[in-house]
Amino acid sequence: MPPATKRRTAPPPAGRSWDEPTLAPVVLVRGAEPLLTERAVDGVVRLARERDPEVEKVELEGATYGAGQLLVAASPSLFGEAKVVVVRSTESGTEELMADLITYVGAPDEETVVVVVHGSGQRGKKMLDTITRSGAPVMVCEPVTKDGEKASFVTGEFRAARRRVDAEAVRALVDALGNDLRELASACSQLIADTTGTVTAATVDKYYGGRVEATGFRVADAAVAGDAGGAVALLRHALDTGLDPVPIVAALALRLRNLAKVASMRGGGLSARDLGMAPWQVDRARKDLRSWTPEGLAAAISAVAQADADVKGEARDTVFAVERAVMTIARSRRPR
């Protein structure tokens, strides 16, 4: 039997991170995460103004672009002030924009910084290829989707503000607000502005406790901890506040999937990065697994699989389906 080969994953997009701005005659900001795109552009403009406080910022919109606007915008002003030209939404830009950008990249003005912002998709591929082949820096702003990536984002927000935040506080913020990166960033800003010292889970609960308690992640935490009564109470509260059963089941599945992943590490050879998890998630799962047997974990995973099918159309009473899954998870944990 041939030896198992390690599964290959797609390489990350080439380029520099959104938080590593640089100056060049042309800079490409590419990615589908609007908040990170805005920050990448702001970072380039900030560097340009540090170099020359009198720099002029000009904005062009791809969908309404007319032929020749880029050349006019990028040309030196009457008094020779430096310029930053931000060309937004080039993924929906006009044909005139694509043609003008391709021409401009061949002979850019060295005193001007042109920031080309492309959201997603392959429209404008020739223009994108021309920019990347020219050697222009590319700033990548891909969506932040994994919990580990969201946790890293939160940690980075506090680090940039020179504030300390503990791992449980990071997790609480991601659980409460992780579905919207802009909202997550806003919460970090509020905590940084309104508090002093180390931000803890208790601090997060004080500001966002209601939001945290109404999420499926708190339901999943209680169920995995074997607290059937608490899990059902949290579940009903979440449903009463308008949370749909589908994301609750997804939270249950994610929690159990993490347990299963970490259980596979017991044989060695795998790291948190290999599992696509943050170190704090691995540590938490290891602690939880002390109270779980392989048979109990298998029963819990089966219950969630059935609940997933039920809430997506196989059962009339979706609330009962989720409650049954929560109860089964809690009871599948090894008795204390």
Side-chain angles (χ1 to χ4, degrees), residues 318-329:
T318 56
V319 173
F320 173 74
V322 182
E323 281 196 8
R324 181 174 58 191
V326 167
M327 294 293 291
T328 300
I329 294 170

Side-chain angles (χ1 to χ4, degrees), residues 224 249 252-263 289 292-309 325-326 328-330 332-333:
V224 168
V249 173
L252 293 169
L254 177 62
R255 193 76 162 79
L256 293 172
R257 189 160 57 245
N258 283 349
L259 290 183
K261 285 181 178 180
V262 174
L289 283 169
W292 282 83
T293 64
E295 294 77 16
L297 186 56
I301 291 172
S302 296
V304 171
Q306 181 59 55
D308 184 64
V326 167
T328 300
I329 294 170
S332 296
R333 184 178 185 269

Side-chain angles (χ1 to χ4, degrees), residues 8 11 53-54 75 78 83 92-93 114 148 165 170 172 182 192 208 211 257 277 285 305-306 310 323 327:
R8 293 184 178 180
E54 302 300 319
S75 297
L78 182 62
K83 286 186 176 182
S92 56
V114 174
V165 59
V170 171
R182 193 179 296 277
I192 289 166
Y208 303 103
R211 292 290 299 274
R257 189 160 57 245
M277 297 171 64
Q306 181 59 55
D310 289 341
E323 281 196 8
M327 294 293 291

Side-chain angles (χ1 to χ4, degrees), residues 74-264:
S75 297
S77 66
L78 182 62
F79 299 102
E81 291 95 343
K83 286 186 176 182
V84 175
V85 180
V86 181
V87 189
R88 298 190 183 275
S89 303
T90 59
E91 73 278 1
S92 56
T94 62
E95 293 301 322
E96 291 82 2
L97 172 61
M98 304 299 177
D100 283 358
L101 276 170
I102 289 171
T103 300
Y104 183 82
V105 170
D109 189 307
E110 296 297 324
E111 300 302 317
T112 299
V113 178
V114 174
V115 185
V116 180
V117 183
H118 189 281
S120 61
Q122 291 300 308
R123 190 167 190 280
K125 185 176 185 304
K126 183 178 179 181
M127 175 267 294
L128 294 171
D129 289 345
T130 300
I131 293 175
T132 53
R133 282 199 301 267
S134 75
V138 180
M139 299 181 69
V140 180
C141 307
E142 293 303 315
V144 177
T145 56
K146 296 180 180 178
D147 281 350
E149 294 171 345
K150 294 172 187 175
S152 295
F153 175 81
V154 170
T155 302
E157 294 290 280
F158 283 90
R159 184 185 300 117
R162 297 184 178 181
R163 290 289 303 278
R164 293 179 63 85
V165 59
D166 66 30
E168 288 300 315
V170 171
R171 181 179 181 280
L173 275 171
V174 172
D175 284 354
L177 304 161
N179 290 332
D180 186 324
L181 192 66
R182 193 179 296 277
E183 193 171 9
L184 189 59
S186 177
C188 292
S189 296
Q190 182 179 17
L191 289 170
I192 289 166
D194 293 355
T195 67
T196 58
T198 300
V199 175
T200 65
T203 313
V204 175
D205 279 342
K206 177 181 177 182
Y207 281 79
Y208 303 103
R211 292 290 299 274
V212 174
E213 288 173 1
T215 66
F217 293 102
R218 277 294 178 91
V219 177
D221 286 348
V224 168
D227 182 5
V232 170
L234 284 168
L235 171 63
R236 290 174 180 170
H237 174 62
L239 295 171
D240 288 344
T241 56
L243 194 62
D244 189 87
V246 173
I248 296 176
V249 173
L252 293 169
L254 177 62
R255 193 76 162 79
L256 293 172
R257 189 160 57 245
N258 283 349
L259 290 183
K261 285 181 178 180
V262 174
S264 71

